Amino acid sequence: MKSFGASLIFISFFYSGVSYPGEEKHDIGTLAGDIQNWAMLIQNYILQLAGDGIKRDVTQSYLDQANYTFEKKNGETIVKVVKETLGDYFRKKKKAAENLAQSVRKLYDNYLSENKTSNVTRLKDLRRDDYRDSDIPFLLPQDLTFNPYFRQGVSINSSTIKIADEVPRDDPTVINTILFTAGLEKVFHENANRDPLLRWQYFGSTTGVTRLFPGREWSTNFAGFYNDYDPRVRPWYIAATSGPKDVVIVLDCSQSMAGEKFSIAKGVAKAVINTLTKQDYVNVICARASHWDEVGKWHYFTTEVLSCQMKRMVPATIAHRKDLIEKIEKLKAGGTSELEKSFAKAFELLNSSPRTGCQSLIVFATDGKDTDGEQVRCGPGYYTRSGYVPGPICKYNWTKVWDATEMHNKKLDPHARIFSYLIRDDAEEFPGKLACSHRGSFKKLMTGENLISQMGNYFEFLSSNAKSSKALWTSPYLDAWGLGLMITHTIPVLSHITGKYIGVVGIDATLDEIENFLTKHQWGNVYSFLINNQGETIFHPRLKPSKKLLDDPIFIPISQLEIDKYGNPPEFSTIEREMRAGKTGKIVVKGSDDSSKTFFYAALEESEYSFAYCLTEMDLEFRRSQEPVDRSKYVESYFNLLKEYSSDLLREQLPLAYHELDVREKEKRYPGLRISYKYSTIFLAPKTWCDPTTYMYDDNLDKKTLDAHRWINSYQKDEGCDSGNQKFHKGVRADVLLTQPIERIWATRDFESINQIKWTNVGLRSGVFRTYPGHRSTRSYDPTKRPWYKRTSSAPHKTSISTPYMDAAGVGKINTISQAVFEGMTPKTDEECAKFEKGSLLGGCKCNLDTDCLIKVCYLSKAPGPNSDQRRCATERVEAVTGLDILYDDFQKKTMESMQASDFRKSCGQTYECPDGEPDCETRCYLFDSQAYLVMDPDFLLAGNLDKSKYAGVTLGKKEGEVMKHLVYKHGFFKRTESFDFQGTCRITPAEAKVSLLGIPKKPEELDDYFRDRGPIPKFHSEFGCIQDVVSYKANDSALGPSGMVTGNVSGPCMSGFYYVTALPLTNLYLLVIENWKQYRESLFYNFNCKITRTIVNSGAYRIVNGTCAHEETSHATLAEEDKCPALRDLPLKCQYTTASSLTASLFLILGALVLSLQAFDW
């Protein structure tokens, strides 16, 4: 935030010192009357289009006349069921890991005790039953078959071997590891048979060999090469073997390190950080000091702690690791050597809180030199009669560092071990003595290649020093093998014969599967979330789904999602504390409007996780619509995969279906799509299926179509997923049937603007999506997750219009006009309604105006019950959103035609002479929504369909910064809010228009085919995960005042003009008109002030470089104090170095060369 303040000062400097053309003017607008009329014309056009095209009232009548069952819901019962189900899920994973660990130990010890050695000296000579290689195509299993649970081709009959790139493939230890682990095949199969929901099973050995089941071909990078994989540096391996630790990395950043040496040193730091886990604490110190140069110039440098938490250690979470690595990347060598202060700081950090207190480690990278060259001087120099005399060359006293380090380490508990890495030079004495005097290890590094292997002294110590055989669940991370976000149950395996680690076994559980367990028990407005015992949020509806994460996630404290900036609701602190403690219970939270919601929570046994469900008062009684009793008037519904109706399977099972659909393939209005004008089609979102995973990744599309078609048209009793007899959730078919009659209404519409409509649809809360004309949707589509659905649900009393976006079916850029459809009206008597005042009447109560109702919708309903002949309030719950899609070009054309000035001179888009006689003034018109996003902008017409950054998500602040500034700071029309997004998306390169080439998928059918036939080489991604500051705005209608309009004269670095803003009150839109709009071009090279003006009031997500400062660790107790540290072996380490200086070593080399030369000389 400091940088933002600095920006404001900078901006005020520019604003105060520069005047702009027209700034002294105070024009008075002449279009106020016209603009009020324009707003009404545009609103009437939208409402007329919605009324004629969507037919919301008809769809509402279907729901009002439906039969409903009332189901009492008990949150405690739901929590008990989920706890048992998920508890069993975790128990099975744990048992599978235990079976695997016991087998590894037994196989290894038997191999040793029987003194088995292989006569085979090369991998290629091993038997194929023992050795199938993931990296060698002809050594892969022959039965690789696509499996939806693994999202790739796998062999369910055999495992495969993956050898880390830096491991010698024909090394005897590698061959022996492959041979003894071949016996795991039987255990892999037994585990898989006992638990069909098992994902990857694997063993990572200390030799760098992984055996994985089911077997797979290894993934490749975008250049087509197989990716490297070393189990010893993966989070699941390190977490299991090393135990918790506190690590401080000290980098010698002095001038002598410049060049490749500093690159190697930074590589050392990154290698250490990348192998830390959330149970560790870390910080990094860049050591150096200021100096003069040979001409007396002063150069300022200082020793710095790289984390934004400069006085303490930080947990090695993904957020902090990313932050530290990014700062290390930006370091440049410079300054003189200064290590006494840096090591004092290192020990200060190791003694701070919070920390683990289990193991203290310092990793030090240096070139060992005590000087930094001629240009680094420790004095300012002076002048004599003969000229300038530079200050003395800096020469460091290493004894001071040795003595100070000895003193600090004696006071530290536990004492720190120091691992020194000498980079390329021969000055071994300083770093060597530093390491060996503190029970550490010294190593010289000549290159930055294979650092994990070169730093084996450090990593082998970590995996050997802790006496841990404790199993644990890792933090969620992105699976390197393609299953998305997952957690792993790991067990380190120790030999009973040698007492040393053999490796680590792992059993995976995918987060999307756990999410499915939680969401399948949601209904109405109920939501659920999952946290770990540190209060970090693993799953929450406000977070990105695990499938959409670009990088290992940064987990947000649950308090940031459930508690507002004022600390409300205060009861949630108790809920979080109870959940972190692993307790089960419920707590009622009162809202500011006297409403209440109840949190039901419980811990999951055999794991570190707790979950909760949040129920409102309305959710305690769930109304479920029922299928029509008389279905004689309902015609057949068709699934959205129209192409599959022509497949052999469906032509055999449903021989007349494809002919009946009358599928068209070359319609001018729908290029490249298969459509049916005769029927709408049904798409069933992944959440409607009992097994969303199988649905998402099963490419057997004809069978999928047949199953869906038969179910939505069948008379089989709907028993739901718990029965185990059907593939769809209870109520899905009812929603299909209830919306079926709207199909004929849509197909027979005839009104003036019918040709402007591309699609008409209704998306229900259950995930059922009916669209006309019938066409295919993308596989992962979920109407309830779409912006148009969320926007309409949040303001159901208004007709909502979306910002332009690229149609998911590929027909071009469109706007969606949508309206809410409410749950069937609940009948209420006058006596029941009497206790409610006007303005808060509930659904079913008699009303006269929309404003009488709590939901602000009053209509004449066909629902039975009291007062059925009078207008009644809509039910508070939105059951569906129905809408139509119109091409943006048509929408803009119709809108602009509505805005004709009464004087025919200043209509929208017209240019004319400015009031001061200057040419090229214009009347500029925009439509924007309640969050300041532009819905209509004349420039959008010029943007290509594939250049989405030019029309999708464009903000008013970005386009008309001066007007936006007035609306925010002068009129208070927009309220600014900020929040952190710890799972944001940033780009390596700026967004550019996508190029459509043959073979690049863009339509649903092409996307599905691409998924099935995508090949082994993944595409390059410009996006990556990051922490972002999200700035948003929300409109405040009361700021429009009694006139319903705000106006003002503005002149700034971008433009000048007189603006008007007014609402389209029955929609989510506002009209902005700027009279006498004149744009100011760049005077020289770039209009920098204009850029600043627009940026300061722009919405959007902005990357936070120091994002880790946004959340701090609050714990102060160490694991050692809580007696949670694993026992240590306290291993002695071999440590040796030469005491010869680099100069002495050089002399020895010279003398040796002379001796050899003399010996070779023939006297």
Side-chain angles (χ1 to χ4, degrees):
M1 299 305 294
K2 289 180 181 177
S3 62
F4 183 68
S7 298
L8 288 177
I9 295 169
F10 182 63
I11 291 162
S12 66
F13 166 78
F14 271 88
Y15 275 13
S16 59
V18 182
S19 61
Y20 303 100
E23 190 173 46
E24 71 287 347
K25 300 175 195 171
H26 298 282
D27 297 336
I28 298 175
T30 62
L31 293 174
D34 282 335
I35 288 164
Q36 293 283 18
N37 185 48
W38 295 350
M40 287 301 103
L41 288 173
I42 297 170
Q43 176 174 275
N44 290 340
Y45 159 67
I46 292 170
L47 295 180
Q48 186 69 45
L49 186 60
D52 293 338
I54 299 174
K55 302 291 184 182
R56 188 265 305 268
D57 294 344
V58 178
T59 305
Q60 183 67 64
S61 71
Y62 299 152
L63 270 67
D64 282 346
Q65 296 176 83
N67 296 317
Y68 287 84
T69 58
F70 292 82
E71 189 177 331
K72 293 286 185 181
K73 290 287 187 178
N74 187 317
E76 291 169 315
T77 302
I78 299 295
V79 164
K80 182 180 178 182
V81 170
V82 173
K83 181 175 181 177
E84 291 175 354
T85 305
L86 274 178
D88 183 60
Y89 175 83
F90 282 107
R91 272 191 296 274
K92 287 181 177 178
K93 307 297 177 287
K94 181 179 178 182
K95 180 62 177 173
E98 290 169 350
N99 292 341
L100 204 54
Q102 290 168 7
S103 298
V104 169
R105 184 183 298 110
K106 183 178 179 180
L107 289 166
Y108 179 81
D109 286 351
N110 286 345
Y111 199 83
L112 284 183
S113 61
E114 295 174 10
N115 200 24
K116 290 183 179 178
T117 55
S118 174
N119 295 324
V120 176
T121 58
R122 296 181 300 177
L123 279 179
K124 68 178 185 177
D125 296 329
L126 289 173
R127 292 189 320 121
R128 288 296 160 263
D129 287 345
D130 297 332
Y131 170 56
R132 296 177 178 86
D133 200 311
S134 287
D135 281 353
I136 303 175
F138 68 85
L139 291 179
L140 287 168
Q142 298 302 304
D143 60 343
L144 291 179
T145 306
F146 184 85
N147 186 305
Y149 283 103
F150 293 93
R151 309 177 194 177
Q152 59 195 280
V154 297
S155 168
I156 60 173
N157 295 312
S158 57
S159 61
T160 50
I161 291 292
K162 172 68 178 178
I163 303 171
D165 287 356
E166 64 183 43
V167 174
R169 296 181 69 83
D170 290 328
D171 188 278
T173 60
V174 171
I175 293 174
N176 288 332
T177 300
I178 293 172
L179 287 173
F180 90 76
T181 58
L184 294 176
E185 291 286 356
K186 180 181 177 183
V187 188
F188 287 145
H189 285 90
E190 289 173 350
N191 282 342
N193 291 334
R194 274 193 290 263
D195 182 5
L197 294 180
L198 271 187
R199 294 299 187 260
W200 302 119
Q201 305 178 61
Y202 45 93
F203 168 65
S205 77
T206 54
T207 60
V209 175
T210 304
R211 185 175 284 275
L212 173 71
F213 181 84
R216 67 183 287 263
E217 182 176 9
W218 214 255
S219 53
T220 61
N221 59 25
F222 65 90
F225 297 105
Y226 286 111
N227 291 316
D228 187 20
Y229 186 87
D230 190 333
R232 299 166 297 182
V233 298
R234 293 297 296 170
W236 54 270
Y237 191 103
I238 295 290
T241 55
S242 67
K245 53 195 171 291
D246 305 311
V247 181
V248 174
I249 302 167
V250 179
L251 292 178
D252 180 356
C253 295
S254 63
Q255 179 61 37
S256 66
M257 290 286 288
E260 188 177 354
K261 287 192 289 186
F262 200 51
S263 296
I264 296 171
K266 292 196 290 186
V268 167
K270 290 186 288 185
V272 171
I273 292 170
N274 280 326
T275 55
L276 298 176
T277 68
K278 68 166 188 176
Q279 65 181 350
D280 305 316
Y281 280 78
V282 65
N283 218 321
V284 181
I285 296 172
C286 174
R288 55 184 161 193
S290 302
H291 65 89
W292 287 268
D293 62 17
E294 69 275 19
V295 296
K297 184 178 179 181
W298 173 251
H299 297 270
Y300 176 78
F301 293 97
T302 186
T303 291
E304 58 181 325
V305 178
L306 296 194
S307 169
C308 62
Q309 313 296 343
M310 291 181 283
K311 295 184 178 180
R312 60 183 180 83
M313 305 288 282
V314 295
T317 59
I318 292 165
H320 284 294
R321 296 203 307 267
K322 285 183 177 180
D323 181 57
L324 288 172
I325 287 174
E326 186 167 320
K327 289 172 179 173
I328 289 168
E329 290 279 11
K330 293 179 179 178
L331 289 176
K332 293 182 179 179
T336 187
S337 300
E338 198 299 300
L339 291 163
E340 183 179 354
K341 179 181 176 182
S342 60
F343 272 90
K345 186 65 180 176
F347 284 102
E348 181 185 323
L349 290 171
L350 288 170
N351 208 26
S352 65
S353 289
R355 61 190 174 107
T356 70
C358 297
Q359 298 183 75
S360 298
L361 304 170
I362 295 176
V363 177
F364 175 44
T366 182
D367 61 0
K369 287 188 173 182
D370 56 3
T371 66
D372 290 290
E374 290 284 332
Q375 70 271 38
V376 178
R377 305 284 177 148
C378 282
Y382 55 91
Y383 285 93
T384 67
R385 290 180 180 179
S386 302
Y388 178 75
V389 178
I393 294 174
C394 295
K395 187 174 178 64
Y396 211 78
N397 184 352
W398 298 135
T399 304
K400 286 186 177 182
V401 183
W402 292 330
D403 292 345
T405 303
E406 185 75 27
M407 177 189 70
H408 289 304
N409 208 2
K410 285 180 179 178
K411 298 176 183 178
L412 182 66
D413 183 26
H415 297 316
R417 293 190 188 236
I418 299 178
F419 290 80
S420 292
Y421 292 97
L422 178 66
I423 313 297
R424 301 194 71 174
D425 277 286
D426 297 318
E428 295 186 13
E429 185 174 9
F430 169 62
K433 183 174 180 179
L434 201 59
C436 297
S437 299
H438 297 276
R439 305 187 68 232
S441 181
F442 167 79
K443 191 97 179 258
K444 184 175 179 179
L445 305 177
M446 295 302 294
T447 72
E449 300 295 323
N450 299 327
L451 282 175
I452 296 296
S453 181
Q454 291 194 71
M455 296 170 65
N457 59 335
Y458 170 77
F459 292 109
E460 287 169 13
F461 168 77
L462 289 183
S463 63
S464 304
N465 195 46
K467 292 181 182 177
S468 175
S469 59
K470 182 182 177 183
L472 56 85
W473 285 99
T474 66
S475 295
Y477 63 95
L478 277 180
D479 178 35
W481 304 332
L483 291 191
L485 199 63
M486 63 169 42
I487 54 177
T488 300
H489 190 67
T490 63
I491 303 178
V493 186
L494 289 89
S495 168
H496 284 168
I497 295 176
T498 65
K500 294 182 178 180
Y501 280 114
I502 308 166
V504 177
V505 300
I507 297 291
D508 291 341
T510 59
L511 256 293
D512 64 343
E513 202 162 53
I514 297 170
E515 291 171 13
N516 290 338
F517 273 119
L518 292 171
T519 55
K520 72 184 290 187
H521 292 284
Q522 294 177 183
W523 69 94
N525 297 311
V526 175
Y527 69 90
S528 58
F529 57 85
L530 181 76
I531 66 170
N532 63 17
N533 55 17
Q534 295 176 309
E536 296 173 322
T537 314
I538 310 302
F539 164 70
H540 193 284
R542 289 178 60 189
L543 297 183
K544 283 184 179 177
S546 59
K547 301 182 191 70
K548 293 188 177 181
L549 291 172
L550 299 170
D551 211 339
D552 285 342
I554 298 169
F555 296 106
I556 306 171
I558 187 62
S559 56
Q560 291 194 15
L561 296 172
E562 293 289 343
I563 300 177
D564 65 21
K565 62 181 179 181
Y566 304 109
N568 295 318
E571 299 94 336
F572 193 81
S573 298
T574 305
I575 296 170
E576 181 184 357
R577 186 167 57 251
E578 296 256 299
M579 292 180 70
R580 292 178 65 174
K583 296 182 179 180
T584 298
K586 68 173 183 178
I587 291 180
V588 178
V589 173
K590 292 288 185 183
S592 56
D593 57 353
D594 293 328
S595 63
S596 67
K597 55 185 178 182
T598 306
F599 288 88
F600 297 87
Y601 52 88
L604 293 172
E605 296 176 5
E606 313 293 347
S607 77
E608 61 176 32
Y609 302 107
S610 292
F611 69 94
Y613 283 86
C614 178
L615 280 67
T616 65
E617 292 172 320
M618 288 193 302
D619 296 316
L620 298 177
E621 186 177 78
F622 180 54
R623 297 177 73 219
R624 190 192 298 276
S625 56
Q626 300 298 294
E627 297 174 13
V629 177
D630 180 10
R631 290 172 56 177
S632 60
K633 296 181 181 178
Y634 291 81
V635 301
E636 205 162 13
S637 289
Y638 291 88
F639 195 54
N640 77 108
L641 301 183
L642 297 178
K643 177 183 177 182
E644 302 307 320
Y645 282 96
S646 65
S647 66
D648 292 340
L649 177 64
L650 273 84
R651 284 189 181 277
E652 177 187 337
Q653 299 294 323
L654 305 171
L656 301 178
Y658 190 72
H659 175 76
E660 179 63 24
L661 276 166
D662 189 21
V663 177
R664 311 286 182 89
E665 296 191 33
K666 296 182 179 179
E667 290 295 294
K668 187 176 180 180
R669 293 190 67 212
Y670 302 99
L673 296 177
R674 288 181 173 85
I675 62 148
S676 170
Y677 289 117
K678 193 172 181 181
Y679 290 94
S680 62
T681 49
I682 292 293
F683 174 79
L684 302 175
K687 68 180 181 181
T688 64
W689 298 69
C690 296
D691 186 352
T693 302
T694 298
Y695 160 74
M696 278 297 297
Y697 300 102
D698 183 4
D699 279 325
N700 195 352
L701 302 183
D702 54 354
K703 180 65 164 59
K704 186 185 294 185
T705 300
L706 181 62
D707 289 341
H709 182 94
R710 282 177 168 169
W711 175 251
I712 61 180
N713 293 292
S714 77
Y715 287 81
Q716 179 185 336
K717 185 178 179 181
D718 187 357
E719 297 178 328
C721 295
D722 293 337
S723 69
N725 298 323
Q726 64 187 55
K727 296 187 175 183
F728 300 94
H729 281 285
K730 193 171 185 177
V732 167
R733 187 171 59 205
D735 285 345
V736 173
L737 290 167
L738 287 175
T739 58
Q740 192 282 317
I742 196 65
E743 178 179 84
R744 281 302 95 206
I745 306 293
W746 288 343
T748 56
R749 293 168 297 181
D750 186 15
F751 59 98
E752 180 185 355
S753 303
I754 185 66
N755 291 327
Q756 297 175 18
I757 298 174
K758 281 291 183 179
W759 311 113
T760 312
N761 49 61
V762 57
L764 290 98
R765 189 171 55 188
S766 63
V768 172
F769 183 64
R770 183 180 289 276
T771 183
Y772 179 85
H775 70 283
R776 187 173 187 161
S777 297
T778 53
R779 191 181 300 207
S780 60
Y781 192 86
D782 184 342
T784 64
K785 298 292 194 297
R786 301 294 292 178
W788 54 263
Y789 190 101
K790 293 180 178 179
R791 186 185 301 109
T792 307
S793 297
S794 64
H797 59 294
K798 291 189 175 185
T799 297
S800 178
I801 299 88
S802 74
T803 58
Y805 64 96
M806 182 64 182
D807 175 42
V811 299
K813 58 177 181 281
I814 59 173
N815 293 85
T816 297
I817 301 174
S818 51
Q819 296 176 320
V821 181
F822 302 92
E823 185 181 83
M825 187 171 287
T826 48
K828 283 187 175 63
T829 64
D830 290 341
E831 290 74 19
E832 290 176 303
C833 297
K835 56 185 177 183
F836 302 107
E837 296 180 359
K838 281 193 173 183
S840 59
L841 294 176
L842 297 184
C845 291
K846 187 169 57 176
C847 57
N848 294 313
L849 302 171
D850 289 339
T851 52
D852 293 343
C853 305
L854 181 65
I855 199 68
K856 308 306 178 194
V857 176
C858 175
Y859 70 103
L860 188 62
S861 170
K862 293 184 179 181
N867 302 311
S868 58
D869 59 339
Q870 300 185 56
R871 287 160 60 87
R872 290 174 288 175
C873 292
T875 307
E876 291 72 32
R877 185 177 288 129
V878 174
E879 185 65 27
V881 172
T882 183
L884 59 81
D885 297 335
I886 180 174
L887 281 178
Y888 174 79
D889 295 9
D890 291 336
F891 178 71
Q892 177 175 313
K893 179 182 178 183
K894 193 70 176 179
T895 301
M896 294 293 284
E897 287 174 355
S898 302
M899 294 186 282
Q900 300 296 319
S902 54
D903 61 2
F904 299 103
R905 194 175 69 88
K906 291 188 174 182
S907 301
C908 277
Q910 279 190 294
T911 56
Y912 42 84
E913 186 180 277
C914 302
D916 59 3
E918 291 289 321
D920 297 328
C921 268
E922 181 184 341
T923 300
R924 194 81 171 172
C925 302
Y926 304 92
L927 288 173
F928 62 90
D929 67 15
S930 57
Q931 294 180 309
Y933 286 97
L934 290 176
V935 173
M936 192 280 292
D937 172 358
D939 291 341
F940 289 172
L941 208 59
L942 306 176
N945 291 339
L946 297 173
D947 197 0
K948 292 192 284 188
S949 64
K950 297 288 181 63
Y951 63 85
V954 178
T955 64
L956 180 59
K958 183 178 180 179
K959 202 62 187 283
E960 298 292 353
E962 288 92 342
V963 175
M964 184 69 181
K965 187 159 75 81
H966 271 218
L967 294 178
V968 174
Y969 299 110
K970 181 178 178 180
H971 300 291
F973 176 74
F974 277 119
K975 300 294 183 183
R976 187 178 190 270
T977 59
E978 277 188 76
S979 61
F980 292 114
D981 182 358
F982 291 90
Q983 298 178 347
T985 300
C986 295
R987 295 183 60 87
I988 298 171
T989 57
E992 295 289 344
K994 292 185 178 179
V995 179
S996 176
L997 298 173
L998 188 64
I1000 296 181
K1002 61 177 182 177
K1003 295 183 174 66
E1005 187 173 309
E1006 294 169 324
L1007 286 168
D1008 277 340
D1009 290 343
Y1010 174 74
F1011 186 87
R1012 184 181 56 210
D1013 305 321
R1014 63 193 180 281
I1017 301 177
K1019 62 181 180 180
F1020 173 77
H1021 285 285
S1022 179
E1023 297 174 334
F1024 63 95
C1026 61
I1027 305 174
Q1028 292 177 312
D1029 181 18
V1030 181
V1031 178
S1032 59
Y1033 293 91
K1034 189 170 181 61
N1036 171 27
D1037 283 3
S1038 63
L1040 295 175
S1043 67
M1045 180 183 288
V1046 293
T1047 61
N1049 190 72
V1050 65
S1051 182
C1054 305
M1055 49 73 70
S1056 64
F1058 190 88
Y1059 63 86
Y1060 313 76
V1061 173
T1062 189
L1064 280 62
L1066 299 181
T1067 75
N1068 65 324
L1069 299 187
Y1070 301 85
L1071 174 62
L1072 165 64
V1073 177
I1074 308 175
E1075 185 181 359
N1076 300 325
W1077 181 88
K1078 187 171 180 63
Q1079 184 178 19
Y1080 298 140
R1081 306 288 179 184
E1082 298 91 66
S1083 55
L1084 293 173
F1085 302 105
Y1086 184 71
N1087 194 339
F1088 188 63
N1089 292 332
C1090 178
K1091 175 74 172 177
I1092 293 175
T1093 299
R1094 289 173 174 172
T1095 300
I1096 201 172
V1097 287
N1098 194 13
S1099 310
Y1102 302 91
R1103 187 180 181 200
I1104 306 173
V1105 175
N1106 239 357
T1108 51
C1109 294
H1111 64 154
E1112 296 186 8
E1113 181 76 8
T1114 56
S1115 171
H1116 294 285
T1118 66
L1119 292 178
E1121 291 167 346
E1122 296 175 352
D1123 198 26
K1124 292 182 179 179
C1125 292
L1128 300 178
R1129 300 177 186 279
D1130 201 26
L1131 295 173
L1133 291 174
K1134 183 180 179 180
C1135 187
Q1136 60 184 27
Y1137 60 95
T1138 177
T1139 57
S1141 68
S1142 57
L1143 177 61
T1144 305
S1146 298
L1147 288 172
F1148 275 128
L1149 289 171
I1150 294 168
L1151 288 172
L1154 285 171
V1155 170
L1156 290 171
S1157 299
L1158 289 170
Q1159 289 176 343
F1161 189 77
D1162 186 5
W1163 293 94

